[in-house]
Amino acid sequence: AEKAGGLRIEFQGPGGHSFGAYGRVSALHAAARTVMLLQKALPASSYEITNLTGGNSVNAIASDGLIELKFTARNAKAFQALV
């Protein structure tokens, strides 16, 4: 039987105003880079990104980021290999 499960990955960073903190790491950019790594590492039909969000203001470096995804596998053994 098919098996499914979810995962929530939260990112935290220092954030800041885009002018005064230019060059500082953005938690949302880190989340997006993680999505790209997941695409390379996991079989295409095994996961679904259900949410990618972050930041809380215009002209600000995001201090938070979030990825939510759902894993699906054809059986328990295949699912365990994903997680």
Side-chain angles (χ1 to χ4, degrees):
E2 191 172 273
K3 184 153 173 96
L7 181 64
R8 177 184 175 105
I9 307 169
E10 296 182 21
F11 296 80
Q12 298 293 313
H17 191 276
S18 60
F19 178 78
Y22 180 78
R24 194 177 280 178
V25 174
S26 165
L28 183 55
H29 287 178
R33 286 191 296 272
T34 300
V35 167
M36 292 188 299
L37 292 172
L38 287 169
Q39 288 176 322
K40 292 179 183 178
L42 297 173
S45 62
S46 66
Y47 70 96
E48 174 184 351
I49 304 292
T50 57
N51 190 18
L52 173 62
T53 188
N56 52 17
S57 180
V58 176
N59 288 335
I61 298 168
S63 61
D64 61 284
L66 171 69
I67 303 170
E68 292 176 323
L69 52 125
K70 177 182 167 185
F71 293 108
T72 306
R74 62 187 174 281
N75 58 49
K77 186 176 179 181
F79 182 81
Q80 194 61 35
L82 286 175
V83 296

